[in-house]
Amino acid sequence: MNYEKTRQTVLDAILEAVEKGLINGTSGNICMRTPEDPTIVCITPSGVPYTGMTAEDIAVVKMHEDGKNEWIEGNYKPSSELPMHTAVIRNRPEVNATVHTHSMYATICAMGENPELRPITPPQCEFTPVGIVSFTMPGSDEVADKVKNTLGDKGLVCLIKNHGMFSCGKSMKQAMHATIYTEEMAQTTVIAKTLGTYEPMSKEAEKAMQDLIAADQAV
Ligand SMILES: [Zn+2]
């Protein structure tokens, strides 16, 4: 089997996401660039339950220069949401992993007139600001473009209205942390707003924390 290590990393990540309740059924998908070839990615397959899945079931896709994606290996065809993952991976050379979930609280926070997700605790500041993408049909090139443009050059997470969220990172660990902490941020926001005690970190504290995280990562 080719790209075994990357396929296993994708499989382990999707099982962790299922275990943490970030993914139900076959909603959500995870993708990773292979270290062997930066134009090849491994992604969870379409419509197959994640529990009981093997590394051979993870699809391997070649990203061609003309923008086309070609499924080259794997027992099942790639997720229908492949274009969203490859749009971001193609646009950001430093991004090696992408995670998309329909997790409950992030989805709730993506609704409303002017949704905004602010950090409640210091570790969440690594992943803010969180962008917002308006609803567009899943799997379309249009939603892929919107997610890519909303993340821009530096963004790590965006919410997608009436759909879920999308995270990316230089490693699978960072992309998974982005997903976990964004869902935590959304959950604490929803509960605090329900209780009437919502008080996110100040912009100053958020900036100070981000400077600290950047200095730590630079070491
Ligand atoms: Zn989706």
Side-chain angles (χ1 to χ4, degrees):
M1 183 174 64
N2 292 313
Y3 310 108
E4 186 169 356
K5 200 154 176 266
T6 306
R7 288 161 97 176
Q8 188 63 47
T9 303
V10 170
L11 178 64
D12 291 346
I14 201 91
L15 293 177
E16 185 189 344
V18 170
E19 191 197 306
K20 286 194 156 71
L22 295 163
I23 285 178
N24 293 318
T26 61
S27 77
N29 22 79
I30 293 184
C31 186
M32 189 177 177
R33 194 197 299 270
T34 67
E36 293 91 340
D37 182 340
T39 68
I40 289 181
V41 296
C42 301
I43 185 166
T44 47
S46 174
V48 184
Y50 297 128
T51 313
M53 188 174 277
T54 67
E56 282 96 341
D57 298 335
I58 303 294
V60 181
V61 172
K62 165 84 178 170
M63 301 184 294
H64 289 288
E65 265 181 46
D66 63 2
K68 293 222 164 53
N69 292 322
E70 183 192 1
W71 172 31
I72 55 171
E73 215 182 309
N75 295 334
Y76 302 100
K77 67 178 184 194
S79 162
S80 59
E81 298 190 285
L82 173 70
M84 198 159 63
H85 294 269
T86 55
V88 174
I89 289 173
R90 284 172 184 273
N91 190 47
R92 298 264 296 268
E94 88 288 8
V95 163
N96 291 307
T98 48
V99 177
H100 165 57
T101 70
H102 300 178
S103 45
M104 186 191 297
Y105 288 96
T107 308
I108 294 170
C109 287
M111 293 189 288
E113 278 303 298
N114 188 21
E116 189 193 27
L117 207 46
R118 306 257 318 119
I120 310 280
T121 66
Q124 296 165 358
C125 298
E126 183 179 345
F127 310 105
T128 57
V130 175
I132 303 279
V133 174
S134 57
F135 179 78
T136 313
M137 280 308 286
S140 64
D141 287 338
E142 206 187 340
V143 74
D145 265 356
K146 281 188 187 176
V147 167
K148 178 189 81 178
N149 293 337
T150 301
L151 290 175
D153 293 336
K154 288 206 170 73
L156 294 176
V157 189
C158 63
L159 304 180
I160 312 170
K161 210 166 185 177
N162 299 112
H163 188 167
M165 72 159 127
F166 189 94
S167 309
C168 66
K170 58 185 188 309
S171 62
M172 184 61 79
K173 188 177 163 195
Q174 191 184 31
M176 285 294 287
H177 276 181
T179 305
I180 291 163
Y181 281 113
T182 301
E183 179 64 5
E184 178 192 83
M185 193 169 6
Q187 185 171 7
T188 44
T189 295
V190 169
I191 295 173
K193 283 187 174 175
T194 307
L195 292 173
T197 56
Y198 177 63
E199 195 178 355
M201 286 175 66
S202 68
K203 296 259 183 197
E204 295 71 37
E206 179 187 11
K207 171 80 172 59
M209 196 57 216
Q210 285 171 337
D211 290 346
L212 207 64
I213 291 166
D216 189 44
Q217 285 180 346
V219 173

